[in-house]
Amino acid sequence: MGKQLTLAAAGVLLLVGGGAAAAQDVIIQPEQDVVIREYVKKKPVASLSLPGVELNIGTALPETVELYEVPDVQYRYVVIEGRTVLVDPGTRKIVKVYD
């Protein structure tokens, strides 16, 4: 009985952990990616320097960083260290970094 409970607990942890990982995976559709890239080229913004902030997916940006809207796209963008960064405005977490 104890072994079954341990296996069940491990299964639940796997499911919960897998769900959390999947929630972080943001998929930008190719059409949406084209819209974002074209808009950012048309509406350039000044590049910021954020010492100590790593430009990785999942990194939350400080509240002091102004995010710019892309029409008809749920995400916002900002340029940091010359790289365009796509951000979820609700969590302020980076979802994509463009080179």
Side-chain angles (χ1 to χ4, degrees):
M1 183 72 156
K3 188 175 183 179
Q4 288 177 336
L5 286 176
T6 303
L7 288 173
V12 168
L13 287 174
L14 246 171
L15 285 174
V16 170
Q24 291 179 353
D25 293 339
V26 173
I27 298 172
I28 308 294
Q29 297 300 322
E31 314 82 49
Q32 195 176 34
D33 197 53
V34 169
V35 168
I36 293 165
R37 287 176 185 269
E38 288 179 0
Y39 187 82
V40 168
K41 282 182 188 175
K42 290 180 194 174
K43 302 283 186 176
V45 297
S47 182
L48 302 175
S49 178
L50 292 177
V53 175
E54 292 188 29
L55 298 184
N56 296 320
I57 293 173
T59 298
L61 297 180
E63 290 289 329
T64 55
V65 174
E66 184 176 357
L67 304 177
Y68 299 91
E69 184 176 352
V70 178
D72 302 320
V73 175
Q74 71 184 62
Y75 302 109
R76 304 293 181 255
Y77 77 100
V78 64
V79 178
I80 302 171
E81 308 294 340
R83 299 171 76 190
T84 301
V85 179
L86 204 58
V87 180
D88 179 329
T91 62
R92 299 191 65 82
K93 289 185 179 180
I94 296 171
V95 296
K96 185 165 184 170
V97 179
Y98 292 93
D99 289 319

